[in-house]
Amino acid sequence: MPAKNFAALGVIISSAPRTALLAALQQLRPQLDIQLQEIAPVIGTGETGYRVEVELSGEATVPHSIDLWLQIKSAVMAKFPADKPNAVTAIDP
């Protein structure tokens, strides 16, 4: 089986569990193979940064990665809004 090729799109920061974030991303974008790579806890906040990576195939191609990142970022921030626990913030690439 060939190795999958993933591209980093951006970073999200949240106190939500990684599994909840990944489940939300998979529900919002089931056609994509998305993974979250933990990059660092945000000291003193209880939040963790995750690099959002998408497999490069089909819709997720390099020329469209900005549009794809904006769609993913908007969707996950809507699912975990700023005024609720486990809010998500994003850092653009």
Side-chain angles (χ1 to χ4, degrees), residues 64-81:
H64 303 295
S65 63
I66 298 293
D67 291 337
L68 181 59
W69 167 241
L70 293 175
Q71 293 169 14
I72 289 171
K73 179 177 80 166
S74 297
V76 76
M77 290 177 80
K79 183 79 172 177
F80 298 93

Side-chain angles (χ1 to χ4, degrees), residues 11-15 36-51 91:
V11 173
I12 58 174
I13 298 171
S14 179
S15 58
L36 296 176
Q37 296 296 326
E38 184 174 327
I39 52 173
V42 181
I43 296 172
T45 67
E47 296 179 329
T48 302
Y50 298 96
R51 186 174 49 247
I91 301 171

Side-chain angles (χ1 to χ4, degrees), residues 2-33:
K4 293 184 176 183
N5 186 18
F6 284 85
L9 297 181
V11 173
I12 58 174
I13 298 171
S14 179
S15 58
R18 180 185 175 279
T19 54
L21 294 168
L22 193 54
L25 287 169
Q26 289 172 337
Q27 179 183 19
L28 296 165
R29 288 294 197 196
Q31 71 277 23
L32 299 177
D33 189 357

